[in-house]
Amino acid sequence: MFRVAGKGTSRAASRRTMALAILVVLVAGSVLSVEYVQARAKDPIKIGVILSLTGSGASSTVDARDALVIAVEEINQRNELNGRKIVLIIRDCMSDPDKAVEVYGEIEEAHHPLMYISGMSSISVALAPLAENNRTPLIAVVSSSDSVTAGREWVFRYYPGSVQETVPVLAKIDALGISTVGFLYLDDEYGNSVLDAFQPEIQSRGLSLKTEHFQPGATDYSAQIQNLSDAEAIFAVGVVGNYQGILAQLRGADYSGLVFVASGASVPSVRSIPEADGVFVSAPNIYRPAYAFSKHLEEEFEERHNKPLTHQGASTYDVLQLVSGLLVDEVVSKENLRDLLLRGFVYSGTLGDIIAKPGTHNFAFPLYQAQVVNGVLVFR
Amino acid sequence: MNSRTRNPFRSRIAVRIGTGFMVVLLLLSGLTWFVLSASSHYLRNSVGEDAAAVAATAMFGLDRGIVLKRSVLERICQDSQLLASVSESNSYFETLPDTEAYINETDLAWRSAPHDELTPFMYSILNNTLSEMLRARLVNSHILEYGHNLYAEVFVTNKYGATIAMAGKTSDYRQNDEVWWQVAASNGSHIGDVEYDESAGTYGLMICTRVTDANGTMIGVAKSVVDFVGLVREMEIGLLPSPYPSREIRVLTSDGGMLFSSRAYRLLEDVSDESYFVSMQGHSGYFVAEMGGRDVLFAYAQSTGYIDFTGFGWFALVGYNLADVLAPTLELRTVTLQATALLIVLGAAVAYVFTRSISRPIQEFTVAAREVSGGNLERRVEVRTQDEIGELASTFNEMTVSLRESKEDLEGKIQQRTKELDEANKGLKASNAELEQFAYVASHDMQEPLRMIRSYLEMLSRRYKGQLDSDADEFIGYAVDGVDRLQRMIDDLLALSRVGTKGEPFRRIDCNVVLNEIISNLKVAIETNDAIITSDRLPTVIGDELQLSQLFQNLLGNAMKFRSEAAPKIHVSAERRPGEWVFSVRDNGIGIDPQHFERVFVVFQRLHSRDKYPGTGIGLAICRKIAERHGGRIWVESQPGKGSTFYFSIPDRRVEVAKDERQGN
C-alpha cells in the first residue's frame, strides 16, 4: 500500500514516538526510584545523644560522639533493623548538668527518641531522673559513678564502675606493700564515687589515706599535690583534661612516690607525655599493642577523625552496636529495649566481652593494671 | 483500493523501524537481565561456598581450641610440682583411717559454708602453692596475655576425688561423685558440652584430664571450666576476614542453643525455631533466610572434631546481607537499568532521526510524485545525501526532467497533428459542404431539364407513337423509363442531401405517434404484403420529427420489400441504455449476409438486382445520416434467411432539454 504522508500524519508519528520514549523513561525511572521510595518508607529509629562536647568534660566525650557516627553508619549499612535506619540526635550539654537537663527536654519534645546516650557521670546522674519519668532508656557512657544507675529502672551504664577503677590500683598497692596513699580527685560525681569505692578498701587494709580534691575545670593542682607529697603513692582521679596537668605538676613538684591514675588517663594524649612515664593506670584492653578486636574501629576512627581511638569512643561505639544487635528481629520500643537490656546478654565488644546477667543495669568492660613505659601501656 | 486510504493493518515505515528497534532493545534488555540474574546466582553460590569455608574454619578453630585447652591442662598436669602435690595428698589420704568419711565430712562442711565466704580450710587450699601455680600459669597469664579471663574454674583433685588445689573457690569438696571425674579418671580425659557450671557460676566448657605419675598410674584429676565466650574471643572467630561489613558469625549447639554471636545475644538462647537453624541440612552448606527484615546469605559448617575430640555437633554460621553480596550485580543492574533507560531515550532519538531520514524523503517523494502526477513537471526533490535515497532523489529529478521533455515533445507533436487535422477537417468540411451543395444543386437543378426531357419524350411518344417504327417506340419507352429512374435517383439524392442541410430543429417527439403515422402511410404496402407490424411502447425523444418519420418509414419499407415468402412480420421496439434509446426494427425477411452489414448503409450500394428488388440504393444511407445527425448510429444484425434487425440509437437528451427549459433557454 502506498500512503500519502502529510504533515499531520508526520506530527502524529512524532507524537507517538515521543510518547513512547516518555513512557519508557517513566518506566525506567519508576524502577530506579523503587529502592529510594522503599528506603524512605520506614521511620528512622531516633536516639538522643547528650554529650559534653564543650567545657571541662569535652576531653572525655568528644571521642564518644565521633565513634557514634561511625557506629551508626555501620549499623545503617547492615540494614538489619527491618529496614529502619538509626538517626542520632546529638546535642552538646557544655559539661553542664543543668544544660543537659534542658537539652533533654528539647530533644524529647522535638523527637521522642527511642533512647538516650549520655556521657560523664555528672551529666548522666542529672539525666537519670528524666529517663525514669519519661520511661525512656538511658545508657550512660564514660560514667563510672554508681549513682547513675542506683535504684533506677530505665537507666543503664556501659562503662567500668568506680569499684572497677580501684581494683587494679588496690591490687598493685597490695602487691607493692604501700602503706600511705594520697587520693587526688575531681570534686564531681565521678571523683566522689571513686573515692567512695576506694576509701573503704584502703581503710579495710589498715592503710593511711589522705585525700585532696579539685574543681571541674581546674588547672592548678600544686597545692593539693603539696599536701599529698608525703604519701608513698598518689591515686589521681579526674577527667582526661585533668591528667596532663596533674602529671606535669607531680613531676614538677619532684614527687618521688608511685603515681596511679584512673582509666581516663590511659588515652594516648595523656600517656604519651613524658611525665606519664612510669605511671600506673587502670587500662582497658583496647590499648594492648596486639589487641585485635578494636583494630578495624581504630583504623576507621583514625582515618575519619585523624586522631587515635580512645576507650571512651570505643565504649560508646559498642553501646550502639549492642543496642542494634539486641533489636534485630525485635519490636522497637522503649519498653522492649529496656526488657532486652534487663534480660541479660553476651556481647563481644571492642573492649572485651560483656556478659550481663539478667537484671543488671551495669555493663562493664574489664580494666587491667598497666604501666606507662615510653608512652606505651605495659600490662603487668 | 484507494491508495490514499489508510490501511489500519499496515504501519508506517517509521513505526515499523521504531517497533523493530524496540524489539531489539527488549531482546537486549532481556539478555542483559538474564546475564545479571545468572551473575547474581553465580555470585551468591560463590560467596556462599566461600562463607561455608569460613564457617568451617571457625568451627575447626573452635574444635582445635578446645583440644588445645585440654593440652594446656595436660601439660599442667605433668608439672612436677603438681605431681608432687597430688602424690603428697594421696599419701596423706592413705594415712587417714577412713578416707571416705573424711571426704564426706569435709565436703559437707564445704557446702555448708556461705557461698561468698571462705572457710580457713578453703583459704588454705586456695592459697597453697599448687593453687598459686594454677592461677599464675592458667588464669593470670591468660589475662595478662589476652585481656580476659578464660578459665572460670581450675582445680585439681587427688585420686580420691578430694579437691587439693583451686584457682578459685569450688562449689564442693568431693568431686569423684561427678561423671566428668569418673570419665576422666578412667578414660584419661573428658570434654563436656557447654553448660552452666555451678562452681564457676557461669556457662563454660568443662575440660578434665587425668593426672598420672611416671608409671602411668592415675593419681588425680584436673578440671578446668573454660569460658566459652572467652574461648571464641581467643580463637578470634569474630575476626575472621570478612568481605562485607554486615558479616555475622554465630555458633550454635546441635539442638539450636546460641553459643556465640558477633552481635549481642543471650547465651544458650533456643533458636531452634529460627528459619536459619531449620534451613541447615547436612554438615555444610549455604542458604538464604530472612532475618531482621532483610535477606541474609547464611553459610554453615558443623563440627567435625579435632584429633580424638569428636566434637559436639555444633554449627558455625557465617551470615552476610544478601544485598551486600549481590551489591556488585545490584549496582551493575542499576547501572544497566540507567544505561538501558538512557539507551532507550538515545535509541529512540536515533531511531526517530534515522526513520525521519528515511521516511521524510519518502514523504517528500510522495508529495512530489503527486504534484508530478498532477502535471507539475517542474517539481524537484532536494538531493541531501549521497546514499540510495540521494540516488533515488537524483533519479526522480531525472525522471521529471525526462517527463517534461517528453511532454513538451508530445505537446509539440499534438499541436502539429491538431493543426494538420484542423486543416484537413476544414478541407473536408469545405469539400463536404461543396459536395452537399453540389448534390443539392445538381439534383435540384437537374430536375428541370429532366422534367423537360421527360415532357418531350412523352410528347414524342404521344405524337409519334405508331408513326415511327417499333424500335423507335421501344427506344422512346426506354428513354422514358430511364428518365423515371433518374428522377427517382435525383429525388433520393435530394432527400439525402437535405438530411444535413434542410433539417428541422429538434423537439420533443413521441415516437408512438410517429410510428402510427408511418403505418398509416404504408397502409397500401402493408395490405399488399399482408404484413403485420407490431410495436412496444416507444419513448419520447428529442429529434427531427420528419427525419425520424423517414427513418422509420425507410426501415419498415425495407422490411416489407425484402420479405421472404412468408408474410412480413415486423416488430418495433426501444430499449433504454445509458444515455440513449436504442430502437430496433425486426423482420422475418430474407436476411443479410454479415459481410454486407456495412455495405448496406453505403449510398447506391445494392445487394440485389434492380429487377428483383427495385430501388435507388439510397434508403439506408439516408437512415444512417439521420441517425448520425441525431448523435446516434445505426447497425444491423442478421442472418440470411432468418430475418434482420436494424438498430438505431437516439441520445436521450430529455434531461438536458428539461434543464434548458427550466432555465428559459
Side-chain angles (χ1 to χ4, degrees):
Chain A
M1 174 181 152
F2 183 80
R3 183 170 172 273
V4 176
K7 282 187 175 178
T9 51
S10 177
R11 279 198 211 99
S14 300
R15 281 197 295 270
R16 280 198 299 275
T17 307
M18 193 61 71
L20 184 64
I22 290 171
L23 180 66
V24 169
V25 170
L26 286 176
V27 170
S30 302
V31 170
L32 293 175
S33 62
V34 164
E35 230 171 287
Y36 175 74
V37 172
Q38 285 178 340
R40 286 179 59 89
K42 296 184 176 178
D43 293 332
I45 298 171
K46 295 179 180 177
I47 295 178
V49 180
I50 301 173
L51 296 172
S52 299
L53 304 179
T54 56
S56 60
S59 55
S60 296
T61 52
V62 168
D63 289 349
R65 176 203 58 190
D66 295 340
L68 274 177
V69 174
I70 296 174
V72 79
E73 285 182 10
E74 290 182 1
I75 293 166
N76 287 341
Q77 190 178 2
R78 292 202 297 267
N79 191 34
E80 62 192 3
L81 299 174
N82 289 309
R84 299 180 68 178
K85 303 294 184 188
I86 288 180
V87 173
L88 299 176
I89 316 296
I90 301 175
R91 296 290 184 272
D92 178 17
C93 64
M94 304 175 186
S95 307
D96 180 356
D98 294 336
K99 178 68 176 174
V101 171
E102 180 186 333
V103 166
Y104 185 100
E106 291 171 3
I107 295 176
E108 188 62 27
E109 185 178 350
H111 301 286
H112 300 291
L114 172 73
M115 59 165 283
Y116 288 86
I117 294 173
S118 64
M120 290 183 60
S121 295
S122 57
I123 302 300
S124 301
V125 167
L127 295 178
L130 302 179
E132 295 294 304
N133 289 339
N134 282 316
R135 302 175 68 80
T136 301
L138 167 69
I139 300 182
V141 295
V142 199
S143 303
S144 296
S145 171
D146 294 333
S147 300
V148 172
T149 56
R152 307 295 184 188
E153 294 184 357
W154 293 85
V155 184
F156 301 87
R157 182 183 66 195
Y158 193 99
Y159 213 70
S162 305
V163 172
Q164 280 179 275
E165 287 280 9
T166 64
V167 168
V169 179
L170 290 168
K172 204 68 183 177
I173 288 173
D174 290 341
L176 297 175
I178 294 170
S179 57
T180 57
V181 180
F183 189 78
L184 176 62
Y185 66 100
L186 173 65
D187 187 17
D188 74 344
E189 189 63 44
Y190 168 54
N192 283 294
S193 71
V194 178
L195 176 60
D196 291 344
F198 190 65
Q199 196 167 28
E201 292 293 334
I202 292 296
Q203 290 171 349
S204 70
R205 285 168 170 77
L207 306 179
S208 169
L209 178 69
K210 186 185 265 187
T211 65
E212 287 288 339
H213 66 270
F214 55 88
Q215 295 303 310
T219 55
D220 183 4
Y221 316 96
S222 55
Q224 292 90 332
I225 290 172
Q226 181 62 39
N227 292 336
L228 299 175
S229 60
D230 57 345
E232 292 177 72
I234 292 178
F235 181 21
V237 177
V239 295
V240 173
N242 300 131
Y243 290 117
Q244 288 185 353
I246 290 172
L247 293 176
Q249 289 172 36
L250 276 170
R251 299 308 181 203
D254 291 330
Y255 178 69
S256 58
L258 299 174
V259 177
F260 294 90
V261 286
S263 61
S266 61
V267 299
S269 61
V270 175
R271 70 171 189 261
S272 62
I273 62 173
E275 292 85 352
D277 203 40
V279 168
F280 293 97
V281 58
S282 300
N285 282 324
I286 187 176
Y287 302 122
R288 290 175 184 272
Y291 190 70
F293 298 95
S294 57
K295 193 63 70 181
H296 83 282
L297 179 60
E298 287 174 28
E299 292 171 355
E300 181 69 25
F301 191 90
E302 191 156 350
E303 183 182 341
R304 187 83 67 94
H305 304 296
N306 198 28
K307 59 184 178 183
L309 176 68
T310 62
H311 64 283
Q312 292 94 340
S315 61
T316 317
Y317 169 91
D318 279 351
V319 165
L320 212 54
Q321 296 285 4
L322 163 67
V323 169
S324 167
L326 289 175
L327 288 175
V328 173
D329 269 340
E330 292 286 348
V331 174
V332 178
S333 69
K334 297 174 180 178
E335 292 75 15
N336 195 40
L337 175 58
R338 174 179 169 272
D339 291 346
L340 289 168
L341 290 167
L342 286 174
R343 203 183 297 171
F345 58 83
V346 177
Y347 173 62
S348 287
T350 57
L351 292 159
D353 295 327
I354 307 293
I355 302 174
K357 293 182 178 177
T360 184
H361 286 250
N362 296 307
F363 319 127
F365 52 85
L367 293 176
Y368 298 102
Q369 188 60 255
Q371 188 175 20
V372 179
V373 178
N374 296 325
V376 176
L377 288 176
V378 178
F379 288 78
R380 291 173 172 167
Chain B
M1 176 185 288
N2 185 345
S3 64
R4 301 191 182 199
T5 347
R6 185 178 181 187
N7 184 342
F9 297 102
R10 292 190 183 183
S11 54
R12 301 185 56 212
I13 289 175
V15 175
R16 274 182 278 173
I17 291 175
T19 305
F21 167 77
M22 292 304 295
V23 168
V24 170
L25 204 60
L26 283 173
L27 287 173
L28 278 175
S29 301
L31 180 63
T32 306
W33 190 263
F34 171 77
V35 169
L36 287 175
S37 299
S39 301
S40 298
H41 185 72
Y42 173 79
L43 188 61
R44 197 187 81 163
N45 291 349
S46 176
V47 173
E49 289 171 2
D50 289 348
V54 172
T57 302
M59 201 63 257
F60 174 80
L62 277 177
D63 286 339
R64 180 171 171 272
I66 291 168
V67 173
L68 286 176
K69 294 306 162 196
R70 186 187 64 184
S71 298
V72 168
L73 190 63
E74 285 173 345
R75 281 199 298 276
I76 294 288
C77 290
Q78 291 168 1
D79 181 88
S80 57
Q81 181 188 352
L82 184 142
L83 291 173
S85 297
V86 173
S87 296
E88 185 182 342
S89 173
N90 286 333
S91 299
Y92 172 73
F93 272 62
E94 284 167 3
T95 63
L96 294 175
D98 187 345
T99 306
E100 284 300 306
Y102 172 76
I103 292 174
N104 286 337
E105 183 181 338
T106 308
D107 184 63
L108 181 62
W110 191 293
R111 288 189 281 110
S112 301
H115 179 69
D116 55 350
E117 284 188 12
L118 289 174
T119 64
F121 180 66
M122 293 176 190
Y123 189 82
S124 66
I125 293 178
L126 191 61
N127 289 297
N128 66 28
T129 308
L130 183 55
S131 295
E132 291 283 358
M133 187 270 279
L134 292 177
R135 277 195 293 274
R137 291 187 57 180
L138 287 177
V139 181
N140 295 338
S141 66
H142 200 278
I143 291 173
L144 280 175
E145 186 172 357
Y146 296 106
H148 67 271
N149 183 11
L150 182 69
Y151 293 97
E153 183 176 63
V154 182
F155 63 85
V156 178
T157 73
N158 59 20
K159 68 179 181 182
Y160 298 100
T163 302
I164 63 168
M166 56 187 183
K169 179 191 171 187
T170 61
S171 59
D172 50 8
Y173 179 69
R174 172 188 283 278
Q175 309 295 345
N176 65 352
D177 56 348
E178 304 281 352
V179 174
W180 58 264
W181 192 96
Q182 295 162 7
V183 171
S186 59
N187 296 343
S189 67
H190 171 73
I191 299 175
D193 205 342
V194 174
E195 60 183 16
Y196 187 78
D197 189 280
E198 193 175 348
S199 295
T202 186
Y203 288 92
L205 195 67
M206 192 189 305
I207 296 177
C208 313
T209 184
R210 181 172 58 194
V211 182
T212 56
D213 61 14
N215 299 322
T217 305
M218 195 279 282
I219 59 173
V221 172
K223 173 189 174 185
S224 64
V225 176
V226 174
D227 174 29
F228 182 77
V229 178
L231 181 65
V232 171
R233 175 167 284 256
E234 185 177 319
M235 293 295 109
E236 298 188 346
I237 300 301
L239 297 179
L240 287 170
S242 169
Y244 308 107
S246 59
R247 195 273 303 279
E248 178 175 2
I249 293 182
R250 294 187 174 201
V251 179
L252 308 175
T253 63
S254 58
D255 58 352
M258 179 76 83
L259 287 174
F260 173 78
S261 171
S262 52
R263 306 281 190 275
Y265 66 101
R266 277 181 292 152
L267 199 61
L268 289 178
E269 179 184 8
D270 184 8
V271 295
S272 59
D273 291 336
E274 296 287 342
S275 60
Y276 63 82
F277 184 81
V278 176
S279 298
M280 290 191 292
Q281 305 288 335
H283 296 291
S284 179
Y286 53 90
F287 54 88
V288 174
E290 192 273 340
M291 190 172 73
R294 88 282 199 209
D295 288 330
V296 179
L297 173 63
F298 279 108
Y300 65 95
Q302 191 171 20
S303 165
T304 55
Y306 183 72
I307 309 179
D308 61 326
F309 173 54
T310 55
F312 298 117
W314 295 344
F315 290 98
L317 278 94
V318 174
Y320 304 132
N321 275 5
L322 189 60
D324 290 349
V325 173
L326 300 182
T329 57
L330 291 174
E331 190 176 348
L332 186 61
R333 188 179 68 179
T334 303
V335 171
T336 304
L337 280 172
Q338 290 170 339
T340 303
L342 186 64
L343 195 64
I344 288 172
V345 173
L346 289 176
V350 169
Y352 176 73
V353 172
F354 176 66
T355 53
R356 284 273 297 169
S357 69
I358 293 175
S359 65
R360 200 166 78 172
I362 291 174
Q363 290 169 8
E364 286 183 10
F365 289 147
T366 305
V367 173
R370 286 177 60 195
E371 291 185 22
V372 170
S373 69
N376 179 12
L377 297 180
E378 298 301 322
R379 183 70 159 87
R380 299 288 183 277
V381 290
E382 189 178 347
V383 181
R384 296 192 182 92
T385 59
Q386 300 300 316
D387 55 10
E388 290 86 343
I389 291 174
E391 192 176 346
L392 179 60
S394 298
T395 306
F396 182 89
N397 290 339
E398 289 170 8
M399 181 192 75
T400 54
V401 170
S402 178
L403 278 174
R404 190 191 63 188
E405 290 174 354
S406 297
K407 183 189 174 191
E408 288 172 355
D409 184 48
L410 193 60
E411 284 177 345
K413 287 179 179 176
I414 288 172
Q415 284 179 352
Q416 179 66 26
R417 294 289 184 271
T418 304
K419 187 178 178 183
E420 291 173 1
L421 283 173
D422 285 347
E423 290 174 357
N425 199 31
K426 284 178 184 175
L428 281 173
K429 281 182 177 177
S431 174
N432 197 39
E434 287 174 1
L435 192 61
E436 284 185 350
Q437 189 62 27
F438 168 74
Y440 178 76
V441 170
S443 57
H444 184 271
D445 291 353
M446 281 193 301
Q447 292 209 48
E448 182 55 33
L450 193 60
R451 275 195 299 273
M452 187 176 71
I453 293 170
R454 194 173 191 283
S455 298
Y456 282 106
L457 283 174
E458 285 175 349
M459 190 185 299
L460 280 174
S461 178
R462 279 194 311 272
R463 284 186 184 177
Y464 299 103
K465 188 170 183 179
Q467 294 177 20
L468 301 175
D469 58 13
S470 58
D471 287 344
D473 290 342
E474 186 179 357
F475 290 159
I476 290 170
Y478 286 154
V480 171
D481 184 55
V483 170
D484 286 344
R485 283 196 287 119
L486 185 57
Q487 181 65 49
R488 283 197 296 275
M489 289 175 69
I490 287 171
D491 288 345
D492 286 346
L493 273 174
L494 193 58
L496 180 64
S497 67
R498 279 176 173 163
V499 170
T501 58
K502 301 297 182 183
E504 295 293 329
F506 287 179
R507 61 183 180 84
R508 194 181 296 270
I509 296 168
D510 185 348
C511 293
N512 297 294
V513 175
V514 172
L515 181 62
N516 289 335
E517 286 179 358
I518 297 304
I519 291 172
S520 177
N521 292 343
L522 293 174
K523 184 177 180 183
V524 175
I526 292 169
E527 290 174 352
T528 304
N529 289 289
D530 294 330
I532 299 171
I533 298 177
T534 59
S535 73
D536 296 334
R537 178 70 184 169
L538 299 180
T540 297
V541 298
I542 305 301
D544 186 332
E545 183 177 6
L546 194 61
Q547 290 183 350
L548 287 177
S549 297
Q550 188 173 4
L551 178 53
F552 276 115
Q553 185 169 321
N554 285 357
L555 292 176
L556 291 173
N558 280 350
M560 288 187 286
K561 184 163 76 176
F562 297 101
R563 56 169 292 183
S564 61
E565 291 180 353
K569 290 183 179 176
I570 304 165
H571 182 74
V572 181
S573 64
E575 181 186 357
R576 182 76 170 88
R577 290 185 183 175
E580 62 182 8
W581 285 99
V582 176
F583 293 82
S584 64
V585 178
R586 188 179 72 241
D587 62 45
N588 60 344
I590 60 174
I592 304 169
D593 191 320
Q595 64 177 323
H596 302 309
F597 282 176
E598 282 297 319
R599 190 181 166 194
V600 297
F601 296 105
V602 178
V603 68
F604 296 137
Q605 292 296 320
R606 299 174 60 88
L607 300 182
H608 308 284
S609 66
R610 189 177 297 110
D611 295 338
K612 193 172 182 181
Y613 295 101
T616 61
I618 292 180
L620 287 176
I622 291 173
C623 289
R624 183 161 77 175
K625 195 154 187 178
I626 290 171
E628 288 175 348
R629 185 189 169 227
H630 281 77
R633 55 196 175 93
I634 188 169
W635 69 97
V636 63
E637 293 177 358
S638 177
Q639 285 187 359
K642 293 186 177 178
S644 302
T645 301
F646 282 83
Y647 299 91
F648 67 92
S649 63
I650 301 295
D652 186 3
R653 294 195 176 93
R654 288 174 303 168
V655 176
E656 299 170 21
V657 170
K659 189 176 178 183
D660 288 345
E661 287 173 352
R662 280 198 301 274
Q663 293 174 349
N665 297 329

